[in-house]
Amino acid sequence: MESLASYQRALLHAAMVLLEPGGTLLYCTCTISPAEHEANVRYALDKWPDALRLEPCGLPSGFSAAPGLVGRDPDSGDAWMASASDAAKVARFDPSDNEGEDTMGFFIAKFAKTAEVGLAHSKVDPSWMTQ
């Protein structure tokens, strides 16, 4: 599971370099893993505090989702969402939380890019591609 989360971080780095300021980044995963959900959202917000803003994902009417997890993973210590207000902006679809919803797990976070990010701020170890 850890390697998938690191792949997703590398994709976030690439997106931050390619996305123009003023653009929207929609981060979605199809899993129930907080390492791939909240931990990566927190990572992105901590990595680019002056260039990235978390926004409400704005689900269409008729869809219900749980908020993100706040705090830290008790096993790994990975940081999740920093606050309940940030957690309320993301959508977590968990098969155990959504009665009647046909999902095996899904997560949505919406970001607005507010400033340019240079390559120096987005340097990624390319070894993830060979794992």
Side-chain angles (χ1 to χ4, degrees), residues 11-12 23 49 56 126 130-131:
L11 292 171
L12 284 168
T130 60
Q131 296 176 357

Side-chain angles (χ1 to χ4, degrees), residues 111-127:
F111 298 97
K113 185 172 177 185
T114 58
E116 192 59 58
V117 173
L119 290 174
H121 285 70
S122 293
K123 197 166 190 176
V124 176
D125 178 2
S127 66

Side-chain angles (χ1 to χ4, degrees), residues 32-116:
I32 59 171
S33 168
E36 296 179 54
H37 296 175
E38 292 89 351
N40 275 347
V41 170
R42 176 73 178 268
Y43 170 83
L45 293 171
D46 289 347
K47 179 77 177 170
W48 300 289
D50 299 325
L52 200 59
R53 181 179 64 241
L54 185 63
E55 298 193 333
C57 62
L59 294 177
S61 63
F63 283 88
S64 62
L69 302 174
V70 179
R72 292 188 172 276
D73 184 302
D75 297 321
S76 69
D78 286 343
W80 293 336
M81 306 303 293
S83 67
S85 64
D86 275 354
K89 294 176 183 176
V90 302
R92 170 183 264 280
F93 299 90
D94 188 300
S96 65
D97 291 342
N98 295 298
E99 297 271 335
E101 305 237 357
D102 186 19
T103 181
M104 293 182 67
F106 200 74
F107 180 85
I108 304 170
K110 180 181 174 184
F111 298 97
K113 185 172 177 185
T114 58
E116 192 59 58

